[in-house]
Amino acid sequence: MNKVIIINLNGNAYQLEENGYEALRAYLDSAARRLEGNPDREEIIADIEQAIADKFRALMGASKTVVATKEVEGVIAEMGPVEDASDTPAAGQKGAAEPPRPAPGPGEAPGPAKRLYRINDGAMLAGVCNGIAAYANIDVTIVRIAFAALTLAYGAGALLYIIMAILIPSAVTSAERAAASGAPSTAQEFIRRARAGYYEGMRTFGDRRAFREWKRNFRHEMRGWRRDLKREMHENAHQWACNWNRHWGGRPYPFLGWWVAVPMLRLLSALVALVCLFSLVSLLATGAVFGILLPASIPVWAGLIILVIVFQMIALPLRVMRHAMYYGGGYDPVRAGWLHFWNAVAGLGFLAVLVWFASRHSGQMHDAVRNLPHEIHRAVDSVREWWARQ
Amino acid sequence: MSSINEKFTPIRKGLLEFLVLKVVSADKVYVADILRELGGTEFATQEGTLYPLLSKMRREELVDYEWKESEAGPPRKYYQLTAKGREQLREISEYWQQISATVKSLGQKPGQ
């Protein structure tokens, strides 16, 4: 089953499969770009849309109402790339300002710069790991393991993941998909060319004049690539900033003012941490949390880990909001001072409650702490047992 | 053969406008006619190339078009030469004769 998208081609309605729609959109987008500066751009695009519509109509029949992806691709191939015939140096204007690039192969436009996107195809969650893997050209499993490992460290990985899922745009169009995984990134290309140029230089080392010539060219080329790299970084950063503003800026902490929200959040997370600690202790001391007995099939150490994970998940949104206040909308000394003040208050309060609790239930605490090494031993033993059974 | 084909790519591209002028001069045609006429030749081309080229030629007032109803589907643009286009075609044809005569005569031993 495929999703179908209805399009309007110069006044003709057609139903396309989703991937076919993406391909067609990419084709028309690239046509519009190639014709930039052409006074008849609108008209040519309308002509081309009409021609595509005619081809689609020939494919349709009484029992066939949807244009399949393969058919869309066939029609696009039949149409051929749109080339601007006019002599206006629309394409040349841009090229003149840029450093001389190595000539792309015949008929092949320089590919779009590689960008970091989320890739939803084959993603487990939001496609962040997938996108990073494609961008850095490494296996997605490695990225996932890295995130999982980071998550064990106080949920940092999960926090990072959520922030990245918000900031990084998802690759939707096929052009974006190509940019996410296709062309080598400028950074990689930069390194590759630097290395290639280096070997080239080594070869000319004997000949003084050739060497000087090479050096001049090499430096020139490297400068061009560096500029490209900088531009790409800048574009990425700009994109991220836009996303950030869309999600966090524009509506600065709509619930309460930050001066109320900060202490609330801080105290709330301290409370969550306390509850977590108490339930851990109670699990160790009595084998039950809030009166709920741990099922016999689950060892205590596994219960401890589950508890920690559950509380991490509860605390996570609080932490995300707090971090948004740290970093949202630039640095503000007043706000930073306020945040630190409440961090200190919450820390002291946490300590005070802990001391009070310990003095009141000193016996229980003592037992719990004494039980801890025992539990760790049991955890290690059971893991070893499990390993031996494999 | 393919390398010759490649070498002549820019020349074929440059000649396309001349050939389109020739095709349009015979009759009122629409794009599919032009594609069909060129289709069997070395100058086979595609809509993606032809539409921008025709729009440029219209801007230069070499061709003009009118909308005509078709039996099936929406109205189509039928192209025809303008007076300026006809004049241009005559000039280019002449020039082409010169070029092909030059190509023929070069490299031949005198007196042969």
Side-chain angles (χ1 to χ4, degrees), chain A residues 131-317:
Chain A
I132 293 174
Y135 187 75
N137 227 344
I138 50 180
D139 192 74
V140 64
T141 314
I142 296 173
V143 183
R144 286 193 181 130
I145 289 174
F147 264 95
L150 270 175
T151 303
L152 287 182
Y154 303 104
L159 177 69
L160 196 68
Y161 192 95
I162 289 175
I163 290 178
M164 288 181 98
I166 292 167
L167 281 182
I168 302 174
S170 170
V172 177
T173 68
S174 36
E176 282 170 350
R177 275 187 208 153
S181 53
S185 84
T186 306
Q188 281 172 6
E189 185 67 9
F190 181 79
I191 292 165
R192 192 188 68 73
R193 291 194 66 80
R195 204 181 292 149
Y198 178 74
Y199 290 135
E200 182 83 5
M202 286 295 105
R203 269 220 309 277
T204 57
F205 201 70
D207 183 349
R208 232 206 163 111
R209 241 191 52 213
F211 181 65
R212 203 173 308 141
E213 174 75 5
W214 164 80
K215 212 162 85 179
R216 210 174 52 81
N217 281 339
F218 184 60
R219 204 176 293 154
H220 186 78
E221 205 168 67
M222 283 295 117
R223 207 173 302 142
W225 278 98
R226 210 158 49 214
R227 199 156 28 182
D228 276 8
L229 185 65
K230 252 188 214 156
R231 202 194 53 209
E232 191 185 306
M233 296 274 197
H234 188 80
E235 273 175 13
N236 267 333
H238 177 74
Q239 178 83 45
W240 290 22
C242 284
N243 285 329
W244 178 267
N245 283 337
R246 206 165 56 229
H247 285 277
W248 300 108
R251 38 171 189 162
Y253 326 124
F255 31 108
L256 302 160
W258 54 262
W259 61 90
V260 186
V262 165
M264 290 277 287
L265 282 173
R266 189 63 245 183
L267 292 178
L268 212 60
S269 19
L271 209 66
V272 168
L274 268 179
V275 173
C276 174
L277 200 69
F278 287 163
S279 28
L280 284 179
V281 169
S282 112
L283 181 67
L284 260 178
T286 65
V289 181
F290 305 129
I292 303 166
L293 267 170
L294 199 67
S297 56
I298 302 177
V300 175
W301 58 269
L304 291 178
I305 291 175
I306 292 171
L307 257 184
V308 169
I309 291 174
V310 165
F311 276 103
Q312 286 289 351
M313 278 162 75
I314 295 172
L316 192 66

